[in-house]
Amino acid sequence: MEKKFFPSNQRGAANYGWLKAKYSFSFASFFKPDQMRFGKLRVLNDDTIAPKSGFGKHRHENMEIITIPLKGSLKHTDSMGNEGVLETGQVQVMSAGTGIEHNEVNPSVMQETNILQLWVLPKEQDIKPHYEQKDIDIKSLKNQLLTIVTPKNKENGKTLGINQQAFLHLGKLDQEKTLEYNLHKDYNGVYMFLMQGRIKVDGQKLEKRDALGIWDTTKVSIESLENAYFLITEVPLN
C-alpha cells in the first residue's frame, strides 16, 4: 500500500468576494507541480458562493463534472436546455463531451451555498454531452457507504453514470465505528476527502477537510475517531 497525505492547510485558496474557494489540486491561480491531480481526478474544489452570485455562462469539453452541495442550493442552466435547482441532498453529473455551456448560481437572497465540485478526466473523448441529477438519502446514511457515481452502463439508475471507470461513495460513521472499503478495480486508487469529524484511514489520521490518496492496495480500512462524514473517490491512476 502507498499513501499520500493532503492536509487541509496545504490546499490552494482564493477569495473573490462572491466566491471563497479551496482547491485540492492546481487550479486557477493556485499552482503546485506536485499537486496537479490524483490519477484521473483532476479537480476537487470546495466552493462557498455568496447569495445571488455564481458562475456565469462558460464552456466545458471532455470532462466529467460531479457537483455535491453540502449547504444551500445551486441553480443550473445549460445549452442542452436543462434548467433546475440542485439542492443539498442531491448530486449532479455533467458529461461535457463534445462541449456544453452552463451557468451555476446561488439562488438564495440570504444563505451561502457550499459545494464540492469534482472534475474527472474521461475514458473516451468527444462523447455526446449528458446531464443528470439525483436525490441521495443522506439523512438515513449511518455507519455505511452510499454509492452515488459509477461508470456509465445499462445498470445506472440507482447511481449516476460517468464516462470513466470511477466510483464515488459518501460515508457516515458514528464515533468509534469502522468499515472496510474494497476497491472495484485493481488499477485504481482511492482519494479520501473528509468533510466533517475525524477519522483514521489505515493508520493515517485525518481532520476536517484533510484528504488521503491511497494506491497499490485492494482495500482500505476506515475508523471514526468522532462522528464523521466523508467522500471516497476511486479513480484509475493512469
Side-chain angles (χ1 to χ4, degrees):
M1 176 186 288
E2 298 290 336
K3 293 183 285 188
K4 182 176 181 180
F5 180 51
F6 298 87
S8 174
N9 61 11
Q10 290 186 16
R11 295 186 297 171
N15 188 341
Y16 301 99
W18 65 272
L19 171 69
K20 297 175 183 176
K22 295 285 188 178
Y23 305 132
S24 294
F25 305 105
S26 295
F27 192 88
S29 60
F30 172 62
F31 178 74
K32 289 184 71 175
D34 62 345
Q35 204 163 317
M36 293 299 298
R37 60 189 176 106
F38 179 79
K40 297 300 184 183
L41 177 60
R42 174 61 187 87
V43 167
L44 199 169
N45 290 350
D46 186 356
D47 291 337
T48 300
I49 305 165
K52 303 301 289 184
S53 301
F55 302 92
K57 184 183 289 186
H58 57 286
R59 183 177 177 85
H60 294 285
E61 295 178 1
N62 290 316
M63 194 65 71
E64 303 299 297
I65 300 171
I66 302 112
T67 304
I68 306 171
L70 301 180
K71 175 185 175 183
S73 58
L74 194 69
K75 184 177 181 181
H76 167 98
T77 58
D78 65 42
S79 55
M80 294 191 297
N82 298 299
E83 182 174 350
V85 177
L86 182 69
E87 305 282 357
T88 303
Q90 296 181 311
V91 177
Q92 176 196 93
V93 158
M94 189 172 70
S95 292
T98 53
I100 184 172
E101 292 184 342
H102 76 140
N103 58 18
E104 301 163 299
V105 176
N106 175 3
S108 174
V109 297
M110 298 284 291
Q111 184 181 27
E112 290 182 331
T113 291
N114 179 210
I115 64 168
L116 297 182
Q117 189 165 92
L118 298 86
W119 296 8
V120 176
L121 298 167
K123 182 180 179 181
E124 299 177 60
Q125 298 287 303
D126 298 328
I127 67 168
K128 182 180 178 180
H130 171 75
Y131 172 87
E132 190 177 3
Q133 71 181 54
K134 187 175 183 61
D135 294 340
I136 52 175
D137 193 3
I138 294 296
K139 290 183 178 180
S140 65
L141 186 59
K142 183 178 177 68
N143 299 322
Q144 60 183 324
L145 298 175
L146 175 66
T147 305
I148 56 174
V149 173
T150 57
K152 192 173 183 180
N153 57 50
K154 293 180 181 178
E155 303 303 319
N156 292 135
K158 291 185 178 180
T159 64
L160 296 168
I162 63 170
N163 172 29
Q164 186 50 269
Q165 292 298 306
F167 305 81
L168 274 69
H169 312 265
L170 291 170
K172 280 189 176 182
L173 283 178
D174 293 336
Q175 186 172 356
E176 298 182 350
K177 295 293 184 178
T178 63
L179 61 79
E180 189 170 270
Y181 176 74
N182 295 296
L183 276 73
H184 297 264
K185 304 288 183 181
D186 292 341
Y187 51 79
N188 282 358
V190 165
Y191 191 84
M192 297 278 308
F193 183 79
L194 180 63
M195 284 89 83
Q196 295 288 342
R198 292 189 304 131
I199 58 176
K200 186 186 291 185
V201 183
D202 283 303
Q204 173 67 56
K205 291 183 180 179
L206 275 67
E207 306 280 345
K208 182 179 178 180
R209 259 50 178 194
D210 287 345
L212 183 69
I214 308 167
W215 65 100
D216 285 348
T217 187
T218 59
K219 61 183 180 180
V220 176
S221 298
I222 306 163
E223 176 188 355
S224 181
L225 305 177
E226 62 182 49
N227 293 354
Y229 182 36
F230 52 90
L231 173 67
I232 297 176
T233 303
E234 179 185 336
V235 290
L237 295 180
N238 298 311

